Amino acid sequence: MRLKTAALLVLLGLLTMLAGIGQLTFWAPAETVTASVPGDTKAAPLTVIDQKLIALHDGPVKIKIQGEGDYTISTGRPDDVNAWVGKTAHTTLTGVSADQKSLEVTSADGDAKAPSPAGSDLWVSTEDANGEFEYTWNPPADGEWSLLVASDGTKPAPSAISMTFPNKATTPWAVPLIVLGIIIILVGAALPFIAKALGSRRKGGEGDGPHDGGATTALPVQSPAGDEGRRRTGGAEGPALRVTALAAALAAVMVGGSAVAAQATTSPDATSSSSASAPAEGDAGTPVMLESQLQRILEQVASTVDAADAAKDAAKLAPRVDKMELQIRTQNYKIRSTVSAYEPRMPVRATKLQSSVISTKKDWPRTVYALTQGDGNVVPQVLTLVQLSPRENYKLWGTAPLQPGTNFPSFPVPRKGTSPVPASDSTGLAYSGNQALEILSEMLTNPDSPNRSKLADGQSSPYIAGALSYQADTVKNGTSANFKFTHTPATSQTVVLKTADGGALVVGRLDFSFEGTPKAAGDKLLLEDDSAVFAGGKETTTGMVLNFAESVAVYIPPAGSSDPMKLVAATRGLVGASFK
């Protein structure tokens, strides 16, 4: 009987251990699961792979796309992807079905066409594909990301898409079953020896009694009929039953332990799943682009400006230059086409990005500053780049070389971005952006400005000193004319971004007007060759007006600081001349 019980326990242990091993081998779930877009999905010019789907599982996600002809896969922030899609009809892949075989899809009606997303500055990266395309998704940086799949915006976007994810299925019982099986086998193997030892001990105790030679009388005792049988059974099979009961108790303990182990194994997954599905912290402080994006944009801007400068063709500037910089370079080309000795505008370079200032402002227009230097840049220059809407690219609005002896302010690291400030808001600042440019304008117009102490170095600032000297020399040499000089901020082009110390850098435009009127009848005013290009002549007896655009950058200290403002960068360019 003892051998049969032991054999059964060993067999039970082997089966239990085999079940545990099977969960780790031939019964183990697949390492990955693949879900596909249903075949009846409605065609649309754009397909969006939502960030929630991409982040649904931890680990790498493999994406397979089957399309006809050329198409692109663009990576961008969810807000940017949604803004670019706008009112265009599109299909969005949002999740995975319960059986993990199909991708959940939503369709939105809208415009039947859209511009091609290829080449947009919104994207961190773009993959060009044709036919079948496979790649493993890796996030380019922290935060949330979505994918946009499109052909040329007019043809249907590829929708034959499948995604392969790591399988979350686990085998929490595998190890507990193996351990339990081993213990049951050991108990079964030890059972005959334990039973034999207990039996020998009982036999050794039989016949014990008084040994002093005295007589002993045994009195009959009435017992239930079953007692004798129980006593006989207890004498013959008691050890085996007790050992079997012991094994059962151990098995029960191990099953309980394995349940605890299973819970311990699955709990982290549940916690992880909960954390993954919880909404991420608001990324109000997320910069609107990565530094790699900015570098790519700068290279394209520099290449565009180089080509236009070489050809003196303003039409070539249109894709990447606008506002003040477009006006100044256009007029510079016009002058140089007639006056060969006229100095060209400082070239734009992207070879050495010394500093970048990336805004966290999500809506449009968006502004970025870059401090660059390269061939032809005697000093670094501040570039102002603006994106007016999601489907437009960044354009260069202004360039201004750093003032000699001036340091560019410190900004938060690019991966954190910096906050924009309304030009009229002075909260936390010594002055608002508009006030700062008003004070600078006054100093450039009036040598005796009462606000001189509010701007560092006052008249000794190279640019301010140069402007005031030019105006004073003009008055001194033009004895037969009256002159008037005015510098006025163009508030529509003023941008303010916070610096690391709580101050701000305001970059904007001043319109510099220079008027001359003869003092007496017959007096003449003579224009330089560059001005004559716009005025249509070199002499006037009625008066003239010269117009310049000034690009400036001023550092504003934080509120409570005793430090004055600083003119960080400045330059000007002739943009027009006319006779009265």
Side-chain angles (χ1 to χ4, degrees):
M1 187 67 183
R2 288 193 296 268
L3 291 176
K4 289 181 179 180
T5 302
L8 288 174
L9 285 175
V10 171
L11 179 60
L12 177 62
L14 286 172
L15 292 174
T16 303
M17 187 169 64
L18 181 63
I21 294 172
Q23 286 198 18
L24 294 177
T25 55
F26 43 86
W27 290 333
E31 294 183 356
T32 61
V33 293
T34 299
S36 303
V37 173
D40 58 353
T41 299
K42 184 179 178 181
L46 303 174
T47 298
V48 177
I49 303 179
D50 189 81
Q51 62 87 17
K52 293 179 182 178
L53 177 58
I54 296 175
L56 185 62
H57 295 264
D58 295 331
V61 178
K62 294 184 178 180
I63 302 175
K64 181 179 179 180
I65 302 173
Q66 179 68 51
E68 295 183 3
D70 297 331
Y71 57 92
T72 59
I73 305 100
S74 305
T75 302
R77 296 288 186 187
D79 289 346
D80 291 347
V81 171
N82 293 336
W84 198 94
V85 170
K87 297 181 179 180
T88 304
H90 59 281
T91 299
T92 304
L93 313 187
T94 59
V96 180
S97 62
D99 62 4
Q100 300 192 76
K101 293 182 179 179
S102 299
L103 293 172
E104 296 177 342
V105 177
T106 61
S107 296
D109 294 330
D111 299 337
K113 296 181 179 181
S116 172
S120 172
D121 287 345
L122 283 181
W123 317 134
V124 174
S125 62
T126 300
E127 298 282 352
D128 296 322
N130 182 289
E132 185 177 294
F133 179 77
E134 293 185 49
Y135 80 114
T136 300
W137 160 255
N138 288 301
D142 293 338
E144 298 178 344
W145 300 95
S146 293
L147 299 179
L148 178 67
V149 184
S151 55
D152 60 356
T154 60
K155 301 175 184 177
S159 59
I161 300 173
S162 64
M163 300 179 70
T164 301
F165 306 93
N167 194 352
K168 282 187 174 181
T170 59
T171 55
W173 285 91
V175 173
L177 285 173
I178 293 172
V179 173
L180 179 59
I182 293 172
I183 291 176
I184 294 175
I185 291 171
L186 292 175
V187 171
L191 178 58
F193 301 101
I194 296 174
K196 182 177 181 181
L198 291 175
S200 299
R201 180 179 177 186
R202 183 172 181 82
K203 289 178 180 178
E206 289 180 359
D208 290 350
H211 297 284
D212 56 2
T216 301
T217 302
L219 298 176
V221 178
Q222 297 294 328
S223 301
D227 282 356
E228 184 179 355
R230 281 196 294 271
R231 284 196 296 272
R232 285 198 302 269
T233 304
E237 299 297 330
L241 290 177
R242 283 194 293 269
V243 171
T244 303
L246 176 62
L250 283 173
V253 171
M254 286 308 300
V255 169
S258 64
V260 173
Q263 291 176 359
T265 303
T266 56
S267 291
D269 285 349
T271 303
S272 173
S273 174
S274 175
S275 300
S277 61
E281 294 183 5
D283 50 10
T286 303
V288 297
M289 69 168 67
L290 300 184
E291 200 162 7
S292 58
Q293 280 177 272
L294 176 58
Q295 186 67 54
R296 184 185 73 227
I297 292 167
L298 287 173
E299 290 171 356
Q300 294 176 2
V301 169
S303 177
T304 299
V305 174
D306 268 354
D309 286 353
K312 300 177 188 176
D313 184 357
K316 294 182 180 294
L317 293 171
R320 284 294 186 176
V321 184
D322 201 1
K323 301 297 181 181
M324 176 171 51
E325 195 63 26
L326 176 60
Q327 183 185 21
I328 291 177
R329 287 189 183 271
T330 298
Q331 300 302 66
N332 182 275
Y333 299 161
K334 188 173 182 179
I335 296 171
R336 288 167 55 210
S337 296
T338 303
V339 184
S340 59
Y342 192 73
E343 185 176 0
R345 188 76 168 163
M346 183 181 289
V348 174
R349 297 289 182 245
T351 51
K352 188 176 182 181
L353 177 60
Q354 296 188 353
S355 182
S356 59
V357 186
I358 302 175
S359 173
T360 57
K361 180 173 174 282
K362 296 293 186 191
D363 54 350
W364 283 266
R366 294 176 171 180
T367 303
V368 174
Y369 299 152
L371 185 69
T372 66
Q373 191 171 13
D375 293 341
N377 300 148
V378 179
V379 294
Q381 61 178 340
V382 180
L383 309 180
T384 302
L385 302 165
V386 178
Q387 185 184 39
L388 291 176
S389 68
R391 290 182 176 177
E392 295 182 77
N393 281 338
Y394 280 88
K395 292 188 177 182
L396 181 66
W397 275 27
T399 64
L402 281 188
Q403 290 286 277
T406 302
N407 293 322
F408 194 64
S410 175
F411 286 86
V413 293
R415 67 176 178 274
K416 292 186 177 180
T418 188
S419 303
V421 180
S424 59
D425 189 2
S426 62
T427 304
L429 301 172
Y431 308 94
S432 70
N434 287 341
Q435 289 173 329
L437 295 187
E438 286 285 355
I439 291 171
L440 174 60
S441 298
E442 184 180 312
M443 290 184 63
L444 290 168
T445 302
N446 179 12
D448 301 316
S449 168
N451 288 316
R452 284 179 55 183
S453 62
K454 296 179 180 179
L455 196 62
D457 301 326
Q459 292 179 344
S460 65
S461 169
Y463 184 79
I464 297 175
L468 293 176
S469 176
Y470 168 72
Q471 294 167 187
D473 289 344
T474 300
V475 172
K476 180 179 178 180
N477 296 329
T479 56
S480 60
N482 295 315
F483 298 101
K484 179 183 178 181
F485 307 96
T486 57
H487 299 258
T488 308
T491 55
S492 63
Q493 297 184 36
T494 302
V495 180
V496 185
L497 293 176
K498 280 273 192 179
T499 54
D501 63 357
L505 183 70
V506 51
V507 176
R509 169 179 178 158
L510 307 181
D511 289 322
F512 173 25
S513 177
F514 167 15
E515 296 186 36
T517 305
K519 287 184 178 180
D523 288 344
K524 293 182 180 180
L525 295 179
L526 299 178
L527 275 64
E528 297 291 341
D529 290 342
D530 54 355
S531 304
V533 171
F534 300 119
K538 298 189 65 173
E539 295 183 0
T540 177
T541 57
T542 57
M544 57 80 186
V545 179
L546 305 184
N547 299 110
F548 299 84
E550 296 177 292
S551 178
V552 298
V554 179
Y555 166 73
I556 305 172
S561 173
S562 59
D563 296 332
M565 295 184 292
K566 296 178 182 177
L567 181 61
V568 175
T571 190
R572 68 171 175 264
L574 179 65
V575 294
S578 61
F579 294 136
K580 291 184 177 181

